[in-house]
Amino acid sequence: MKKSVYKDNELVKNKVILIHVPKVASRAMIKSLSIQDQGHIHLFNYELEDRMKFHEFFKIGFVRNPWDRVVSSFFYLKNGGMKHKYDRKMQKKFFSINSFEEFVQCLESNHLFKEEIIKETHFKPQYMYLMNLKGEIEMDYIGYYENLEEGFNILKEKLNKPNAELIKFNSSEHKPFWEYYDEKMIEIVADIYKKDIELFNYKFPFDNMI
């Protein structure tokens, strides 16, 4: 029997759909709220399973600056991630890549590599996780990694957990993301994640590079 995407009883009881976009601190919020990790389930799967719940429930998800998210995903997976099967597979894929710069250059020079990478969970464009069956973004609230407390406060209110505090969890070790980029690399990532950048109004923080 196929498992329900409405897994967590606490989320269901409070009529909440939490979309876990990879590398956007969703796991930290899940740990902080003591709820079950739903996995990286796309929004349309909730609609597909139960349209009534889908339209009734409060739909919340979080996004992150794409230039930042790519750096975080690369170093997280390059270092083995959480050591489970998928993360180890990705670590092997990056074995011959020596730096983030080389990784981005491969995305530009090797079309097959790029197409393969952007289908992977941690590199898939964020908007794809937030779309309904019509291919439209249908969220009641989209929070920003850069202002995480605001979204976390909304989520804990919806789950009736006013005393929950946001803990840091599963962060990848690296320098501030802008330090890894030159102008060409900024353009390559901007081209790949053009839709995320437009939809969620992101810009590269050039001022930090001065």
Side-chain angles (χ1 to χ4, degrees):
M1 184 178 176
K2 187 179 178 182
K3 289 183 180 179
S4 173
V5 294
Y6 293 89
K7 290 188 255 186
D8 186 275
N9 290 332
E10 202 159 358
L11 288 170
V12 172
K13 180 181 73 176
N14 291 284
K15 297 186 176 181
V16 173
I17 292 171
L18 172 60
I19 300 300
H20 183 174
V21 177
K23 298 309 293 173
V24 188
S26 296
R27 189 165 276 116
M29 286 184 276
I30 286 163
K31 291 283 184 183
S32 302
L33 293 163
S34 301
I35 56 178
Q36 183 181 349
D37 189 352
Q38 305 296 91
H40 304 301
I41 300 171
H42 293 61
L43 180 68
F44 72 82
N45 284 296
Y46 290 91
E47 184 181 10
L48 198 60
E49 181 175 322
D50 193 319
R51 285 176 185 268
M52 188 175 293
K53 282 182 182 176
F54 179 81
H55 292 296
E56 239 180 71
F57 283 26
F58 181 81
K59 295 171 277 294
I60 181 170
F62 294 80
V63 294
R64 182 176 187 171
N65 186 309
W67 289 280
D68 186 11
R69 181 172 173 254
V70 170
V71 169
S72 181
S73 295
F74 173 78
F75 284 103
Y76 168 76
L77 294 168
K78 176 75 173 169
N79 295 324
M82 294 184 71
K83 309 300 180 186
H84 53 57
K85 187 177 179 181
Y86 171 80
D87 289 352
R88 289 199 306 272
K89 181 196 84 171
M90 290 301 293
Q91 186 182 33
K92 288 178 182 175
K93 191 169 287 190
F94 293 151
F95 181 76
S96 63
I97 296 176
N98 297 309
S99 67
F100 179 71
E101 181 179 7
E102 187 179 340
F103 170 67
V104 174
Q105 287 170 348
C106 287
L107 291 175
E108 183 192 32
S109 63
N110 187 330
H111 180 73
L112 290 177
F113 178 76
K114 183 185 84 169
E115 292 302 306
E116 183 182 358
I117 286 296
I118 63 172
K119 290 176 184 175
E120 295 289 355
T121 303
H122 289 78
F123 295 100
K124 187 179 292 185
Q126 296 168 90
Y127 76 89
M128 298 181 76
Y129 288 96
L130 308 176
M131 293 192 303
N132 62 18
L133 286 170
K134 293 180 180 177
E136 303 164 340
I137 290 181
E138 186 176 347
M139 302 294 293
D140 296 298
Y141 179 84
I142 296 176
Y144 286 79
Y145 177 87
E146 297 76 17
N147 186 20
L148 210 54
E149 285 287 349
E150 179 184 289
F152 181 71
N153 288 337
I154 289 171
L155 188 53
K156 72 182 188 180
E157 182 183 336
K158 289 288 179 182
L159 295 175
N160 194 28
K161 295 195 173 190
N163 298 320
E165 292 186 6
L166 185 60
I167 58 173
K168 192 174 181 181
F169 179 78
N170 199 30
S171 58
S172 50
E173 296 296 324
H174 55 78
K175 297 181 293 185
F177 73 90
W178 54 84
E179 293 189 18
Y180 292 95
Y181 286 92
D182 59 25
E183 288 192 16
K184 181 61 177 175
M185 293 166 69
I186 292 168
E187 289 175 9
I188 293 167
V189 171
D191 183 59
I192 294 171
Y193 294 102
K194 183 179 179 181
K195 197 161 181 179
D196 275 352
I197 291 163
E198 290 175 351
L199 285 170
F200 308 124
N201 197 29
Y202 275 112
K203 294 178 181 177
F204 189 88
F206 287 101
D207 290 348
N208 292 340
M209 298 175 72
I210 297 172

